[in-house]
Amino acid sequence: MKQLPPWLLDELPSHETASYIPQKYDDSTHKLWLIKGKKFNLFLKVCSNTSSPFWKVIKHLFELNLSSDISSFHQQYSYIDKNTRLQVPELIKAKSSNADTVGRNAFILTSEISGNVIEEPNLMMVGQLAEHLAALHHKNNDQWGTLHKPIFNQQQWRERISDTLQSFAKQEEVPERYLNEALGACQYIISTQFIPLMPDLRWDQFLQKDDQLYALVAVSYT
């Protein structure tokens, strides 16, 4: 059974047990623990896979470094909570990795929300997900980047997409003709407004109750 990393013990409130929850997917970004206390339960997420190809692309395109940007997640949780009908957990603590301390990493500590894992979404859940995304899509900006720090202008969207495609196409040995087709399509991109995006959107980020979409438990937006 996995134990909590020793450096985390001083970061957590007094509790009775800490139970590791096995990862559902091999490429999951976080390791997850249920922290049980006499009067409360908390969820602890520890970053463990932020060097995957997925997060490398996200960092290159959006200048989002999950391990260091987690300290800004209080703003993200507050923003999403105000703009969705879904339940959002309370963010207790979010702390970035300490580069000067070997073995440390970033973590998020949130309140527990009741609900069940979505095994097979129904049509109502799909509609509720669409409503959630539509509500966020009404919040636009003329700059983009990360949700807490949009620093890029409209022209840079096309430029950075092209640059990201070229950079990672070389690493993944994408055939040149496919790359050229994608770069050619980029020349037609015209963007004037930008909206919040959940880059790793999938059903395991949500909970259901009574066969309806109930809560969003993973808040990571650009």
Side-chain angles (χ1 to χ4, degrees):
M1 183 173 180
K2 287 186 179 291
Q3 301 295 319
L4 283 172
W7 62 269
L8 263 172
L9 297 178
D10 293 335
E11 301 284 358
L12 301 178
S14 178
H15 58 279
E16 295 182 330
T17 62
S19 303
Y20 177 73
I21 301 174
Q23 293 175 312
K24 189 173 183 179
Y25 300 100
D26 292 337
D27 63 345
S28 293
T29 302
H30 301 96
K31 292 181 179 178
L32 182 65
W33 276 268
L34 175 61
I35 309 298
K36 289 189 175 183
K38 291 182 179 180
K39 299 182 179 180
F40 62 86
N41 288 338
L42 302 174
F43 276 109
L44 172 69
K45 297 179 181 179
V46 181
C47 288
S48 62
N49 192 25
T50 57
S51 296
S52 66
F54 172 82
W55 285 111
K56 286 180 179 179
V57 170
I58 293 298
K59 182 178 185 301
H60 195 277
L61 180 58
F62 294 100
E63 281 295 324
L64 170 63
N65 187 329
L66 187 63
S67 291
S68 59
D69 286 354
I70 272 181
S71 59
S72 69
F73 269 32
H74 286 89
Q75 299 175 44
Q76 289 209 23
Y77 273 71
S78 176
Y79 182 92
I80 300 303
D81 187 40
K82 291 176 182 177
N83 293 289
T84 184
R85 293 182 180 180
L86 301 177
Q87 295 294 311
V88 176
E90 178 187 358
L91 182 60
I92 308 300
K93 184 184 288 190
K95 201 166 183 179
S96 295
S97 56
N98 185 342
D100 298 326
T101 306
V102 176
R104 291 196 172 226
N105 211 329
F107 69 92
I108 305 168
L109 188 66
T110 67
S111 62
E112 180 187 37
I113 289 185
S114 60
N116 300 307
V117 174
I118 299 172
E119 298 294 344
E120 190 168 331
N122 56 38
L123 287 178
M124 179 174 288
M125 294 178 194
V126 173
Q128 291 171 317
L129 174 60
E131 290 177 0
H132 166 71
L133 296 176
L136 293 177
H137 290 177
H138 279 92
K139 306 296 179 180
N140 53 47
N141 198 330
D142 58 2
Q143 290 186 299
W144 62 280
T146 59
L147 191 63
H148 68 283
K149 193 177 181 181
I151 60 174
F152 300 117
N153 61 37
Q154 299 167 9
Q155 180 62 31
Q156 287 173 293
W157 177 241
R158 180 169 57 192
E159 294 172 352
R160 290 184 68 88
I161 287 180
S162 296
D163 185 56
T164 300
L165 285 172
Q166 292 181 77
S167 177
F168 287 91
K170 293 178 181 177
Q171 295 181 28
E172 300 300 324
E173 299 182 349
V174 174
E176 188 173 353
R177 70 185 185 91
Y178 295 134
L179 174 60
N180 289 336
E181 288 178 5
L183 294 176
C186 287
Q187 302 307 308
Y188 297 98
I189 294 175
I190 300 176
S191 302
T192 58
Q193 295 291 325
F194 301 91
I195 57 174
L197 166 71
M198 188 175 185
D200 55 344
L201 176 66
R202 60 188 185 189
W203 288 109
D204 64 315
Q205 314 285 28
F206 299 86
L207 296 178
Q208 62 94 7
K209 183 180 286 189
D210 298 325
D211 292 326
Q212 296 190 47
L213 202 62
Y214 177 72
L216 169 64
V217 294
V219 179
S220 178
Y221 282 79
T222 60

